[in-house]
Amino acid sequence: MRRLFQWFLTCAFVATAIVVLLVRYEDFLIKPWTRDGQVQADIITIASRVTGPIVFVGFRDNQYVKKGELLFTVDKSTFIATVNQAKAQLKVDEANAAEALDVLMRSRKLVQEDVDAIARQALVQYEYAWQAADAKVNESKALLETAQLDLNFTDVYAPVSGYITNYSLYKGTMSVADVPLVSIVDASTYWIYAYFRETEIRNIRKGDKAEVTLMGYPETPILGVVQSLGWGIYQSNSSLGQNLLPEVNATFEWIRLAQRIPIRIYLTHIPPNVRLRVGTTASILIDTDARGEVYREDGEVRQSVRQKKTGY
């Protein structure tokens, strides 16, 4: 009797273990999980479009700036002089064009009164002279517009609202045209990059609900939705070594490591006490049984969710 009881007890334990394993395996297939994730956001690099010394800096490191706020100013003196020079040149060219037009009009009037008063070749030359003078006026207007644009470009404004991070820009620094000086983390574009093993992404689709847990906020989950799945990763064996020969890394046939595919998670709800920072670590749980859609409309990301089963 005792042996029979032990046999039943052992079978019960084994059956329970099998059921637990099956449930956990099914849960793993429906809700894949990874702790290999990072917070990301759009990083806007800002450069001056003109060259010159910086005379004003309107922000500090790690400061939040609003879109349209003045960041820094390049010395305007040279550009003001260029604008004045362009204005003066435009007046000269307009005067020359007016003189050429006056000569042309008087010549035409004389020809109307007396056909032989002026040689036809001379009349043609007057016509060309006026056209050249008029083209010179248009050129001067374009140069003035360019000079005015350069003057306007001495004031550099924030293109988005976000955080200035890790900058080294000070008054007196020489700004070189089109060389980045400042970076802004766009505060409205935070998302999560989750790296799942290739064996786990079979059931993951765009619109699947996700739960993100940051290492810095382990008790405060963030809700999100799968926005897209990566379609390729870099293969080290495809690079070229010396003599343009393929560089192939040694592999162990009995160890086959699954590659990790990046999945982009759009955050639908961020708790007010959570401060997102680019590069911080995140764990991601995806519920493939609660699927919806994410689409972009009028510049805003909107969410329309249809659930198969009970979701968030």
Side-chain angles (χ1 to χ4, degrees):
M1 188 67 181
R2 182 177 180 182
R3 288 184 178 182
L4 184 62
F5 176 76
Q6 290 177 346
W7 184 82
F8 275 114
L9 186 62
T10 301
C11 291
F13 277 124
V14 172
T16 302
I18 293 175
V19 171
V20 171
L21 287 175
L22 290 176
V23 171
R24 295 298 297 172
Y25 181 71
E26 183 182 9
D27 190 61
F28 173 77
L29 293 178
I30 297 176
K31 297 182 179 181
W33 173 82
T34 182
R35 56 182 178 183
D36 186 5
Q38 283 189 339
V39 178
Q40 297 291 334
D42 292 347
I43 309 297
I44 313 300
T45 56
I46 300 171
S48 170
R49 298 179 63 174
V50 295
T51 299
I54 294 176
V55 296
F56 169 78
V57 178
F59 60 88
R60 300 181 302 276
D61 195 14
N62 299 320
Q63 178 182 337
Y64 180 83
V65 295
K66 295 181 179 179
K67 180 179 179 180
E69 186 174 339
L70 179 62
L71 298 179
F72 60 90
T73 300
V74 177
D75 183 25
K76 299 177 181 289
S77 57
T78 302
F79 301 98
I80 292 175
T82 302
V83 169
N84 292 333
Q85 183 181 8
K87 288 181 179 179
Q89 185 63 47
L90 176 60
K91 289 183 178 180
V92 171
D93 293 336
E94 287 177 339
N96 292 336
E99 181 181 4
L101 179 61
D102 182 64
V103 172
L104 176 62
M105 296 304 294
R106 285 189 289 107
S107 299
R108 287 176 176 175
K109 185 176 181 180
L110 288 176
V111 170
Q112 290 176 355
E113 295 175 353
D114 184 0
V115 177
D116 298 327
I118 299 177
R120 180 163 183 80
Q121 184 62 32
L123 186 62
V124 172
Q125 291 178 350
Y126 293 151
E127 179 78 26
Y128 288 159
W130 174 75
Q131 291 180 1
D134 185 61
K136 186 65 176 176
V137 170
N138 292 331
E139 180 184 6
S140 295
K141 288 181 179 179
L143 291 175
L144 175 59
E145 184 178 359
T146 300
Q148 188 63 55
L149 284 174
D150 288 341
L151 178 59
N152 295 338
F153 290 151
T154 56
D155 290 325
V156 179
Y157 299 90
V160 297
S161 296
Y163 298 93
I164 302 289
T165 301
N166 194 28
Y167 88 105
S168 57
L169 180 64
Y170 304 96
K171 183 177 179 180
T173 301
M174 177 59 70
S175 169
V176 179
D178 300 327
V179 175
L181 295 173
V182 180
S183 293
I184 296 181
V185 178
D186 191 343
S188 64
T189 62
Y190 284 109
W191 77 87
I192 302 294
Y193 251 156
Y195 299 92
F196 280 86
R197 288 191 294 268
E198 56 186 306
T199 55
E200 301 171 347
I201 66 172
R202 179 182 305 173
N203 296 323
I204 299 177
R205 298 290 186 273
K206 177 181 177 181
D208 288 348
K209 285 191 172 183
E211 181 179 296
V212 179
T213 304
L214 301 180
M215 184 176 291
Y217 300 89
E219 304 300 328
T220 309
I222 304 173
L223 302 185
V225 64
V226 174
Q227 194 171 32
S228 62
L229 286 79
W231 286 102
I233 57 176
Y234 174 74
Q235 297 294 328
S236 59
N237 285 343
S238 63
S239 61
L240 296 178
Q242 294 183 356
N243 301 322
L244 300 181
L245 297 178
E247 182 178 348
V248 181
N249 296 325
T251 58
F252 300 95
E253 294 299 332
W254 61 87
I255 301 176
R256 300 188 64 186
L257 299 178
Q259 301 294 330
R260 290 188 175 268
I261 306 299
I263 296 179
R264 183 171 176 138
I265 307 295
Y266 167 67
L267 302 177
T268 58
H269 175 71
I270 303 174
N273 65 312
V274 173
R275 297 293 180 265
L276 298 177
R277 304 178 193 276
V278 175
T280 52
T281 305
S283 298
I284 301 92
L285 174 73
I286 295 180
D287 187 355
T288 60
D289 216 25
R291 186 161 293 163
E293 295 180 353
V294 173
Y295 58 94
R296 188 172 295 275
E297 178 181 314
D298 298 331
E300 296 182 0
V301 177
R302 302 178 183 273
Q303 180 187 10
S304 175
V305 176
R306 57 179 186 276
Q307 297 184 7
K308 294 182 179 179
K309 295 183 178 180
T310 304
Y312 297 91

